[in-house]
Amino acid sequence: MGLTDQMYRTWTRVVLILILCVGVMMDVDPVKAEEAPEPVAAIVPTPSGLGYLIVTEAGRVFAYGDAPDLGNLIAIGPLDQPIVGGSFTTSGGGYWLWARDGGVFGFGDAEFFGSMGGIPLTEPVVGGAPTPTGNGYWLWARDGGVFTFGDATFYGSMGATPLDQPIVGGGPTPAGRGYWLWAADGGAFTFGDAEFFGSLGGLALDQPIIAGGRTATGDGYLFMGADGGSFTFGDAVFPGSSAERHVIFTGGAVTPAGDGLWLVTDDGFLEVLGSAPRLGSPQAGPVASPAPPPDEVTVEIVTFGTSFTEPVDITSRPGDSDAIYVAERNGRVRRVLLANPMSRDVVLDITSLTTTNGERGLLGIAFSADGSKLYLDHTNLDSNLRVAEYTMIGDTATARRDLFGIDQPFGNHNGGDIAIGPDGYLYLTSGDGGSGGDPENNAQDLSNLLGAIVRVDPTEGGGQPYTIPPDNPFVQVPGARPEIWALGLRNPWRFDFDSAGNLWIADVGQSAWEEIDVIPAGDSGLNFGWRIREGAHPFNGTDPGGLIDPVFEYDHDSGCSVTGGVLVEDPRLTDFLGDYLFSDFCQPSLRILRLDGLDVISSDTIAELPSRPVSFGEGPNDRIYVATLDGTIVRIDPV
């Protein structure tokens, strides 16, 4: 949990004379370096994010990418206390190394503004960070103490407050007028202008949090677990996870853009997630073996195309049997020929209307039953969800008509799937509005469209761009939005109708459970329980009764973010007809739910997919495709 009341205590600033350490320039190969003779303490990104230092506890420095090697601490002999971290200056022309006893060592243009070296500490220092000007820095202590030097301002600390778990790091806001402290249990503590976007405090973790970092905007942050798990809050985009590798990491860092992570083991193996580049490490090679193949392979994963720009949705257009349509998150819709996947004509370009910061962008596309209209939902430049209709002229989308919008209180959990249902109405998923834990309880609030399945008739009427189907369940409920078809969802990223009209929803969980829900054909008004429950498990609130259980759920030992999912209708996949295929963003196996009507009989893994699967889609003849955020689209074929 985060704190809004700030506990202050005063620290005497002690200015010590810095021992100037010139060091020896190291001859480091950019891909493979010599083995680190001491345990690795930290990874320190450059301001550009195109390089980093890997620093050992003895102060040995390995430099990669655009990181300069300006010296190390090996030349001065053994340290009184080990190095725990470091930071680059704003220019990237220098860096500080932080020691466990509060010692500060500067190289290049990193100036010395003071340290705690030689001053007895109640608890050791765990890290530090410079101010935005580079004319000062903070040091963070294990008990939540905060020490300020140069132009760093003290905004409060946890030093006098007992903690359930120790502080593992901290970071300033972009303006430097506040900071966060991160705890080993995933607690987040805010001071000054630092905002609270959520935490893991109070939740059972398999492994402790080892580091945290903010996004570039300061409107979110990420946590890294010792097992390689990652947790996002606010506008932080989920970079993936290595929790399934069963490797223990000791250090980590967030890219300056906030969209990637580096993780390092104490012996120098490096793991990268999201956009973090792999530029070298003291130990070469993968940190773990890939998951074993399934016992019986019954489908073939065929690469359809590569080098797409973050494809997030795939669909077909009625009347066009020669192509699939791919939505790229940056705002482009492409018509991709089945016979020549390199033929990718742009059908629509709304890149000027959206942004890909965090979880934002073009999220979903769908065609009308006759193929004459293209419907899409995207976040606008203000991070709010917008739903629009375009008229198709040939293979080009023209004449935008805005249908409606959903304002987002935070920058994540936008939902984003859209489809024309068997009844001809437009269905849309919306997330709970973001942050973490649904702090505004939007998913249980019928007065807004957040955390819901929305159902409208896209036909104009009564002076409005759309009308309300008369059988929507909350039409006659005072204060309720009549567009709502179902509620109590956290981030229903993808859904699919089966041939009987049942609606299958993959709802991304908070920190413990991923779930798949069903709205039976002819049913409506169902409440799937978020934030009262996560999956079928209590989360926050009193169960009022009548909440709908998921038909299937799995915990975070098996993944971190469910990627739904389609009901198999491809007649070539005879073994799986009528069953549900899905995956997980962090553990990219192709999974199947064997179904008997709406009942799940069993679940299995049947193949391995490329990393970071983000969406399933169906092309002509019900062929099934899977898009990955890394730009690859594969097709699922029979063996």
Side-chain angles (χ1 to χ4, degrees):
M1 61 180 180
L3 292 185
T4 54
D5 55 322
Q6 300 174 357
M7 306 297 296
Y8 293 92
R9 63 178 175 178
T10 302
W11 295 96
T12 303
R13 298 183 185 179
V14 179
V15 179
L16 302 177
I17 298 175
L18 173 66
I19 300 175
L20 295 177
C21 302
V22 177
V24 179
M25 296 296 288
M26 297 177 61
D27 182 16
V28 178
D29 186 283
V31 177
K32 295 180 181 178
E34 61 186 287
E35 182 176 347
E38 310 91 25
V40 168
I43 183 166
V44 183
T46 62
S48 69
L50 300 177
Y52 48 78
L53 302 177
I54 293 180
V55 183
T56 71
E57 291 182 353
R60 192 182 304 272
V61 171
F62 298 88
Y64 303 96
D66 66 357
D69 182 354
L70 302 171
N72 58 60
L73 298 173
I74 300 302
I76 68 171
L79 301 175
D80 291 337
Q81 292 290 326
I83 296 301
V84 295
S87 299
F88 269 92
T89 61
T90 304
S91 70
Y95 47 81
W96 294 274
L97 299 181
W98 323 115
R100 181 181 172 90
D101 61 358
V104 177
F105 304 90
F107 302 88
D109 64 3
E111 295 188 45
F112 178 71
F113 299 102
S115 77
M116 297 302 296
I119 307 299
L121 300 176
T122 304
E123 291 286 347
V125 165
V126 296
T131 63
T133 66
N135 294 322
Y137 40 75
W138 294 271
L139 297 179
W140 327 112
R142 191 172 185 269
D143 62 355
V146 177
F147 307 91
T148 62
F149 304 91
D151 66 354
T153 300
F154 179 73
Y155 295 102
S157 76
M158 297 300 299
T161 303
L163 299 174
D164 293 334
Q165 291 290 325
I167 296 299
V168 296
T173 62
R177 293 193 289 270
Y179 41 77
W180 295 272
L181 296 178
W182 328 116
D185 62 356
F189 305 92
T190 62
F191 305 90
D193 67 352
E195 294 188 47
F196 179 71
F197 300 105
S199 77
L200 299 170
L203 298 178
L205 300 177
D206 291 336
Q207 293 290 335
I209 298 300
I210 58 172
R214 65 167 173 83
T215 62
T217 63
D219 292 330
Y221 40 74
L222 302 84
F223 293 158
M224 292 156 271
D227 60 357
S230 60
F231 307 89
T232 60
F233 303 90
D235 68 353
V237 61
F238 181 72
S241 169
S242 283
E244 76 278 6
R245 295 184 182 272
H246 306 293
V247 174
I248 298 300
F249 299 93
T250 56
V254 178
T255 59
D259 56 359
L261 299 176
W262 292 280
L263 293 159
V264 65
T265 65
D266 63 357
D267 51 1
F269 284 113
L270 180 72
E271 176 71 301
V272 297
L273 300 174
S275 69
R278 181 187 296 275
L279 303 169
S281 61
Q283 292 276 15
V287 299
S289 299
D295 293 335
E296 182 181 358
V297 178
T298 54
V299 296
E300 182 179 6
I301 306 302
V302 178
T303 299
F304 173 76
T306 61
S307 303
F308 290 91
T309 303
E310 293 190 319
V312 292
D313 202 9
I314 301 169
T315 193
S316 59
R317 179 186 177 191
D320 185 355
S321 60
D322 297 327
I324 59 172
Y325 289 75
V326 176
E328 296 178 321
R329 193 162 72 99
N330 63 5
R332 291 188 179 92
V333 179
R334 297 184 182 274
R335 180 177 183 264
V336 184
L337 287 181
L338 300 179
N340 179 17
M342 292 306 296
S343 176
R344 305 174 181 183
D345 292 340
V346 175
V347 174
L348 177 66
D349 187 335
I350 61 163
T351 53
S352 63
L353 303 180
T354 190
T355 173
T356 58
N357 291 337
E359 297 177 11
R360 307 174 182 96
L362 173 59
L363 304 177
I365 57 173
F367 285 98
S368 60
D370 61 2
S372 66
K373 305 292 183 184
L374 171 65
Y375 297 97
L376 58 83
D377 63 344
H378 67 90
T379 55
N380 65 10
L381 298 178
D382 294 323
S383 302
N384 295 316
L385 197 65
R386 294 293 179 261
V387 180
E389 174 193 271
Y390 287 83
T391 298
M392 295 295 296
I393 304 297
D395 293 331
T396 302
T398 63
R400 177 183 176 112
R401 186 171 72 92
D402 288 303
L403 296 180
F404 62 92
I406 303 175
D407 289 345
Q408 294 279 129
F410 303 96
N412 56 335
H413 300 182
N414 303 302
D417 210 358
I418 191 169
I420 297 293
D423 52 13
Y425 292 130
L426 184 69
Y427 289 76
L428 172 83
T429 66
S430 67
D432 64 9
S435 186
D438 194 5
E440 298 180 357
N441 202 22
N442 289 310
Q444 293 296 317
D445 185 355
L446 287 172
S447 69
N448 65 52
L449 298 180
L450 296 168
I453 302 293
V454 174
R455 178 182 185 246
V456 300
D457 184 338
T459 305
E460 296 180 70
Q464 299 299 316
Y466 65 92
T467 57
I468 305 298
D471 60 342
N472 273 13
F474 301 107
V475 168
Q476 302 300 326
V477 177
R481 290 293 298 264
E483 299 95 334
I484 295 175
W485 186 247
L487 70 152
L489 296 163
R490 180 180 178 273
N491 193 21
W493 170 239
R494 289 292 175 253
F495 63 44
D496 188 45
F497 286 97
D498 66 20
S499 58
N502 305 303
L503 181 57
W504 296 74
I505 307 160
D507 192 16
V508 178
Q510 174 70 31
S511 56
W513 295 94
E514 304 300 306
E515 68 182 270
I516 294 169
D517 304 303
V518 178
I519 302 176
D523 211 343
S524 65
L526 303 183
N527 185 345
F528 292 101
W530 174 254
R531 70 178 185 181
I532 300 168
R533 301 191 311 188
E534 181 183 10
H537 310 271
F539 184 83
N540 183 1
T542 302
D543 189 336
L547 302 180
I548 304 301
D549 287 337
V551 294
F552 183 77
E553 63 179 2
Y554 62 92
D555 64 25
H556 281 192
D557 287 339
S558 302
C560 73
S561 178
V562 63
T563 297
V566 292
L567 281 300
V568 178
E569 297 180 0
D570 182 351
R572 302 176 313 144
L573 300 174
T574 54
D575 289 344
F576 308 125
L577 281 174
D579 292 330
Y580 182 77
L581 293 179
F582 68 105
S583 187
D584 187 276
F585 189 79
C586 300
Q587 295 193 20
S589 55
L590 179 62
R591 311 177 192 192
I592 188 167
L593 298 184
R594 298 287 194 173
L595 304 177
D596 180 8
L598 301 182
D599 296 324
V600 176
I601 304 303
S602 64
S603 64
D604 296 291
T605 294
I606 58 175
E608 293 300 316
L609 295 171
S611 64
R612 305 210 296 168
V614 70
S615 187
F616 285 68
E618 292 175 284
N621 301 314
D622 299 313
R623 298 284 176 87
I624 297 174
Y625 297 82
V626 184
T628 76
L629 205 59
D630 295 329
T632 296
I633 294 177
V634 299
R635 188 180 64 242
I636 301 174
D637 284 355
V639 173

mmCIF file of all heavy atoms in Angstrom, residues 445-450 452-455 472-475 480-487 524-525:
data_model
loop_
_atom_site.group_PDB
_atom_site.id
_atom_site.type_symbol
_atom_site.label_atom_id
_atom_site.label_comp_id
_atom_site.label_asym_id
_atom_site.label_seq_id
_atom_site.Cartn_x
_atom_site.Cartn_y
_atom_site.Cartn_z
ATOM 1 N N ASP A 445 -19.518 -0.061 -10.814
ATOM 2 C CA ASP A 445 -20.292 1.176 -10.870
ATOM 3 C C ASP A 445 -21.064 1.239 -12.180
ATOM 4 O O ASP A 445 -20.483 1.400 -13.255
ATOM 5 C CB ASP A 445 -19.344 2.374 -10.740
ATOM 6 C CG ASP A 445 -20.080 3.700 -10.662
ATOM 7 O OD1 ASP A 445 -21.316 3.721 -10.809
ATOM 8 O OD2 ASP A 445 -19.399 4.728 -10.444
ATOM 9 N N LEU A 446 -22.365 1.122 -12.113
ATOM 10 C CA LEU A 446 -23.204 1.132 -13.316
ATOM 11 C C LEU A 446 -23.355 2.520 -13.927
ATOM 12 O O LEU A 446 -23.924 2.650 -15.012
ATOM 13 C CB LEU A 446 -24.592 0.574 -12.995
ATOM 14 C CG LEU A 446 -24.680 -0.938 -12.765
ATOM 15 C CD1 LEU A 446 -26.073 -1.324 -12.269
ATOM 16 C CD2 LEU A 446 -24.354 -1.694 -14.054
ATOM 17 N N SER A 447 -22.841 3.554 -13.269
ATOM 18 C CA SER A 447 -22.990 4.907 -13.795
ATOM 19 C C SER A 447 -21.905 5.262 -14.802
ATOM 20 O O SER A 447 -21.917 6.346 -15.374
ATOM 21 C CB SER A 447 -22.991 5.935 -12.655
ATOM 22 O OG SER A 447 -21.707 6.030 -12.061
ATOM 23 N N ASN A 448 -20.930 4.367 -15.018
ATOM 24 C CA ASN A 448 -19.947 4.596 -16.067
ATOM 25 C C ASN A 448 -19.775 3.313 -16.882
ATOM 26 O O ASN A 448 -20.326 2.272 -16.539
ATOM 27 C CB ASN A 448 -18.610 5.087 -15.489
ATOM 28 C CG ASN A 448 -17.933 4.051 -14.607
ATOM 29 O OD1 ASN A 448 -17.745 2.905 -15.008
ATOM 30 N ND2 ASN A 448 -17.539 4.451 -13.405
ATOM 31 N N LEU A 449 -19.014 3.413 -17.962
ATOM 32 C CA LEU A 449 -18.864 2.284 -18.883
ATOM 33 C C LEU A 449 -17.568 1.518 -18.673
ATOM 34 O O LEU A 449 -17.158 0.731 -19.525
ATOM 35 C CB LEU A 449 -18.921 2.786 -20.338
ATOM 36 C CG LEU A 449 -20.235 3.447 -20.775
ATOM 37 C CD1 LEU A 449 -20.152 3.899 -22.224
ATOM 38 C CD2 LEU A 449 -21.418 2.509 -20.579
ATOM 39 N N LEU A 450 -16.924 1.710 -17.537
ATOM 40 C CA LEU A 450 -15.637 1.066 -17.273
ATOM 41 C C LEU A 450 -15.828 -0.333 -16.682
ATOM 42 O O LEU A 450 -16.779 -0.580 -15.947
ATOM 43 C CB LEU A 450 -14.805 1.927 -16.327
ATOM 44 C CG LEU A 450 -14.402 3.299 -16.881
ATOM 45 C CD1 LEU A 450 -13.836 4.172 -15.772
ATOM 46 C CD2 LEU A 450 -13.392 3.145 -18.007
ATOM 47 N N ALA A 452 -16.515 -3.204 -18.244
ATOM 48 C CA ALA A 452 -17.805 -3.705 -18.721
ATOM 49 C C ALA A 452 -17.703 -4.248 -20.146
ATOM 50 O O ALA A 452 -16.741 -3.996 -20.872
ATOM 51 C CB ALA A 452 -18.854 -2.595 -18.670
ATOM 52 N N ILE A 453 -18.749 -4.994 -20.518
ATOM 53 C CA ILE A 453 -19.040 -5.270 -21.920
ATOM 54 C C ILE A 453 -20.135 -4.288 -22.327
ATOM 55 O O ILE A 453 -21.185 -4.197 -21.675
ATOM 56 C CB ILE A 453 -19.528 -6.709 -22.146
ATOM 57 C CG1 ILE A 453 -18.494 -7.721 -21.641
ATOM 58 C CG2 ILE A 453 -19.833 -6.940 -23.619
ATOM 59 C CD1 ILE A 453 -17.201 -7.745 -22.414
ATOM 60 N N VAL A 454 -19.871 -3.528 -23.382
ATOM 61 C CA VAL A 454 -20.796 -2.509 -23.870
ATOM 62 C C VAL A 454 -21.462 -3.031 -25.144
ATOM 63 O O VAL A 454 -20.801 -3.647 -25.986
ATOM 64 C CB VAL A 454 -20.040 -1.188 -24.138
ATOM 65 C CG1 VAL A 454 -20.954 -0.164 -24.789
ATOM 66 C CG2 VAL A 454 -19.453 -0.642 -22.844
ATOM 67 N N ARG A 455 -22.766 -2.785 -25.276
ATOM 68 C CA ARG A 455 -23.526 -3.254 -26.438
ATOM 69 C C ARG A 455 -24.409 -2.116 -26.950
ATOM 70 O O ARG A 455 -25.238 -1.579 -26.209
ATOM 71 C CB ARG A 455 -24.386 -4.442 -26.038
ATOM 72 C CG ARG A 455 -25.304 -5.028 -27.138
ATOM 73 C CD ARG A 455 -26.105 -6.152 -26.529
ATOM 74 N NE ARG A 455 -26.941 -6.905 -27.423
ATOM 75 C CZ ARG A 455 -28.280 -6.922 -27.389
ATOM 76 N NH1 ARG A 455 -28.935 -6.179 -26.499
ATOM 77 N NH2 ARG A 455 -28.972 -7.685 -28.208
ATOM 78 N N ASN A 472 -31.235 -4.359 -23.735
ATOM 79 C CA ASN A 472 -30.092 -4.222 -22.839
ATOM 80 C C ASN A 472 -30.563 -4.259 -21.394
ATOM 81 O O ASN A 472 -31.615 -3.682 -21.058
ATOM 82 C CB ASN A 472 -29.340 -2.919 -23.123
ATOM 83 C CG ASN A 472 -28.290 -3.076 -24.209
ATOM 84 O OD1 ASN A 472 -28.260 -4.076 -24.920
ATOM 85 N ND2 ASN A 472 -27.424 -2.085 -24.349
ATOM 86 N N PRO A 473 -29.817 -4.903 -20.499
ATOM 87 C CA PRO A 473 -30.361 -5.240 -19.170
ATOM 88 C C PRO A 473 -30.570 -4.065 -18.219
ATOM 89 O O PRO A 473 -31.355 -4.184 -17.280
ATOM 90 C CB PRO A 473 -29.324 -6.218 -18.602
ATOM 91 C CG PRO A 473 -28.060 -5.869 -19.303
ATOM 92 C CD PRO A 473 -28.474 -5.485 -20.692
ATOM 93 N N PHE A 474 -29.887 -2.936 -18.453
ATOM 94 C CA PHE A 474 -29.982 -1.850 -17.482
ATOM 95 C C PHE A 474 -30.703 -0.626 -18.038
ATOM 96 O O PHE A 474 -30.577 0.478 -17.500
ATOM 97 C CB PHE A 474 -28.577 -1.479 -16.997
ATOM 98 C CG PHE A 474 -27.856 -2.629 -16.353
ATOM 99 C CD1 PHE A 474 -26.814 -3.270 -17.001
ATOM 100 C CD2 PHE A 474 -28.246 -3.089 -15.097
ATOM 101 C CE1 PHE A 474 -26.156 -4.348 -16.414
ATOM 102 C CE2 PHE A 474 -27.591 -4.164 -14.498
ATOM 103 C CZ PHE A 474 -26.550 -4.794 -15.166
ATOM 104 N N VAL A 475 -31.451 -0.820 -19.109
ATOM 105 C CA VAL A 475 -32.167 0.292 -19.740
ATOM 106 C C VAL A 475 -33.111 0.980 -18.754
ATOM 107 O O VAL A 475 -33.244 2.209 -18.746
ATOM 108 C CB VAL A 475 -32.938 -0.209 -20.982
ATOM 109 C CG1 VAL A 475 -33.906 0.846 -21.484
ATOM 110 C CG2 VAL A 475 -31.961 -0.600 -22.090
ATOM 111 N N ALA A 480 -28.105 4.081 -14.208
ATOM 112 C CA ALA A 480 -27.210 3.137 -14.892
ATOM 113 C C ALA A 480 -27.038 3.547 -16.349
ATOM 114 O O ALA A 480 -27.952 4.094 -16.975
ATOM 115 C CB ALA A 480 -27.766 1.723 -14.815
ATOM 116 N N ARG A 481 -25.866 3.272 -16.892
ATOM 117 C CA ARG A 481 -25.648 3.496 -18.313
ATOM 118 C C ARG A 481 -26.328 2.367 -19.095
ATOM 119 O O ARG A 481 -26.041 1.183 -18.897
ATOM 120 C CB ARG A 481 -24.146 3.511 -18.619
ATOM 121 C CG ARG A 481 -23.416 4.727 -18.081
ATOM 122 C CD ARG A 481 -23.836 6.018 -18.774
ATOM 123 N NE ARG A 481 -23.524 6.004 -20.185
ATOM 124 C CZ ARG A 481 -22.428 6.530 -20.714
ATOM 125 N NH1 ARG A 481 -21.520 7.094 -19.928
ATOM 126 N NH2 ARG A 481 -22.230 6.509 -22.020
ATOM 127 N N PRO A 482 -27.252 2.713 -19.976
ATOM 128 C CA PRO A 482 -28.017 1.679 -20.675
ATOM 129 C C PRO A 482 -27.192 0.886 -21.676
ATOM 130 O O PRO A 482 -27.648 -0.155 -22.162
ATOM 131 C CB PRO A 482 -29.117 2.483 -21.382
ATOM 132 C CG PRO A 482 -28.527 3.851 -21.573
ATOM 133 C CD PRO A 482 -27.669 4.079 -20.365
ATOM 134 N N GLU A 483 -25.974 1.350 -21.985
ATOM 135 C CA GLU A 483 -25.131 0.624 -22.928
ATOM 136 C C GLU A 483 -24.523 -0.646 -22.336
ATOM 137 O O GLU A 483 -24.022 -1.506 -23.069
ATOM 138 C CB GLU A 483 -23.985 1.526 -23.414
ATOM 139 C CG GLU A 483 -24.436 2.778 -24.153
ATOM 140 C CD GLU A 483 -24.529 4.000 -23.233
ATOM 141 O OE1 GLU A 483 -24.740 3.798 -22.003
ATOM 142 O OE2 GLU A 483 -24.405 5.125 -23.727
ATOM 143 N N ILE A 484 -24.546 -0.787 -21.006
ATOM 144 C CA ILE A 484 -23.847 -1.898 -20.356
ATOM 145 C C ILE A 484 -24.580 -3.221 -20.604
ATOM 146 O O ILE A 484 -25.787 -3.332 -20.385
ATOM 147 C CB ILE A 484 -23.703 -1.631 -18.849
ATOM 148 C CG1 ILE A 484 -22.804 -0.410 -18.612
ATOM 149 C CG2 ILE A 484 -23.144 -2.854 -18.123
ATOM 150 C CD1 ILE A 484 -22.702 0.003 -17.152
ATOM 151 N N TRP A 485 -23.813 -4.241 -21.024
ATOM 152 C CA TRP A 485 -24.337 -5.586 -21.239
ATOM 153 C C TRP A 485 -23.917 -6.526 -20.106
ATOM 154 O O TRP A 485 -24.647 -7.427 -19.729
ATOM 155 C CB TRP A 485 -23.841 -6.103 -22.583
ATOM 156 C CG TRP A 485 -24.392 -7.427 -23.034
ATOM 157 C CD1 TRP A 485 -23.712 -8.587 -23.165
ATOM 158 C CD2 TRP A 485 -25.729 -7.718 -23.438
ATOM 159 N NE1 TRP A 485 -24.526 -9.597 -23.625
ATOM 160 C CE2 TRP A 485 -25.794 -9.085 -23.804
ATOM 161 C CE3 TRP A 485 -26.900 -6.954 -23.533
ATOM 162 C CZ2 TRP A 485 -26.954 -9.696 -24.249
ATOM 163 C CZ3 TRP A 485 -28.056 -7.575 -23.983
ATOM 164 C CH2 TRP A 485 -28.079 -8.919 -24.329
ATOM 165 N N ALA A 486 -22.707 -6.312 -19.563
ATOM 166 C CA ALA A 486 -22.201 -7.080 -18.424
ATOM 167 C C ALA A 486 -21.167 -6.217 -17.710
ATOM 168 O O ALA A 486 -20.612 -5.279 -18.289
ATOM 169 C CB ALA A 486 -21.587 -8.404 -18.874
ATOM 170 N N LEU A 487 -20.890 -6.536 -16.430
ATOM 171 C CA LEU A 487 -19.988 -5.708 -15.632
ATOM 172 C C LEU A 487 -19.092 -6.588 -14.754
ATOM 173 O O LEU A 487 -19.152 -7.810 -14.798
ATOM 174 C CB LEU A 487 -20.766 -4.723 -14.774
ATOM 175 C CG LEU A 487 -21.592 -5.287 -13.597
ATOM 176 C CD1 LEU A 487 -21.723 -4.251 -12.493
ATOM 177 C CD2 LEU A 487 -22.965 -5.725 -14.077
ATOM 178 N N SER A 524 -27.725 -11.778 -20.022
ATOM 179 C CA SER A 524 -27.122 -10.444 -19.945
ATOM 180 C C SER A 524 -27.189 -9.963 -18.504
ATOM 181 O O SER A 524 -27.805 -10.595 -17.647
ATOM 182 C CB SER A 524 -27.849 -9.459 -20.869
ATOM 183 O OG SER A 524 -29.196 -9.261 -20.438
ATOM 184 N N GLY A 525 -26.530 -8.833 -18.248
ATOM 185 C CA GLY A 525 -26.561 -8.240 -16.913
ATOM 186 C C GLY A 525 -25.716 -8.977 -15.900
ATOM 187 O O GLY A 525 -25.841 -8.730 -14.690
#
